[in-house]
Amino acid sequence: MSKIVEKNGLVTETFYGTEKGVVQERKIDHKPILEHNKKLYNQNDGYSPDKGLKRIASIPTIILEIWAKEYNGDQNKGNWFALPKNVQTKILKEKLNSSDYRYFRTAPGNF
């Protein structure tokens, strides 16, 4: 079995060659992201100086991929950006307003 490891920032991808094909394993170092989110959450209310924009969350793209796969019910359909905008908004509201995913939030309040 051959093994190739690629590290790109916080994401590590490992490819294993087997008799049946290639297996891909992806890992993300989530600790720096969550620590940064905590700092932002406690920094201020998340609004821009003119109150025109509000910071809500910082979510790693690998998590968006997982949520897309959950929504589609298919492990081969993980393209978050292929989902319709209204579906993306629905998923984000559900996940970000849940206490299970509160560490992705970068400002207080509901989405």
Side-chain angles (χ1 to χ4, degrees):
M1 176 175 9
S2 61
K3 178 179 173 181
I4 300 171
V5 178
E6 294 181 7
K7 184 150 176 89
N8 183 7
L10 299 175
V11 178
T12 302
E13 292 186 277
T14 306
F15 299 90
Y16 301 96
T18 66
E19 303 84 38
K20 295 183 179 182
V22 177
V23 175
Q24 177 187 17
E25 176 185 68
R26 294 187 339 181
K27 295 180 183 180
I28 187 165
D29 183 6
H30 63 280
K31 290 180 185 178
I33 296 168
L34 298 182
E35 288 299 319
H36 183 69
N37 286 357
K38 286 179 191 178
K39 286 179 187 175
L40 289 174
Y41 191 92
N42 293 316
Q43 183 177 7
N44 57 27
D45 63 359
Y47 281 100
S48 62
D50 68 353
K51 303 291 186 195
L53 299 172
K54 183 176 182 184
R55 181 182 68 243
I56 297 174
S58 177
I59 306 166
T61 53
I62 197 167
I63 300 300
L64 296 175
E65 181 181 326
I66 291 168
W67 291 348
K69 288 178 180 182
E70 287 174 359
Y71 174 80
N72 288 316
D74 186 343
Q75 288 299 308
N76 295 318
K77 294 185 179 179
N79 185 351
W80 172 261
F81 302 102
L83 294 175
K85 183 75 171 165
N86 64 327
V87 171
Q88 290 177 353
T89 302
K90 177 185 170 195
I91 293 170
L92 288 173
K93 281 185 179 184
E94 176 188 327
K95 300 289 187 180
L96 294 176
N97 290 331
S98 164
S99 62
D100 293 339
Y101 301 102
R102 68 182 171 270
Y103 296 118
F104 292 136
R105 299 296 307 255
T106 58
N110 285 333
F111 176 63

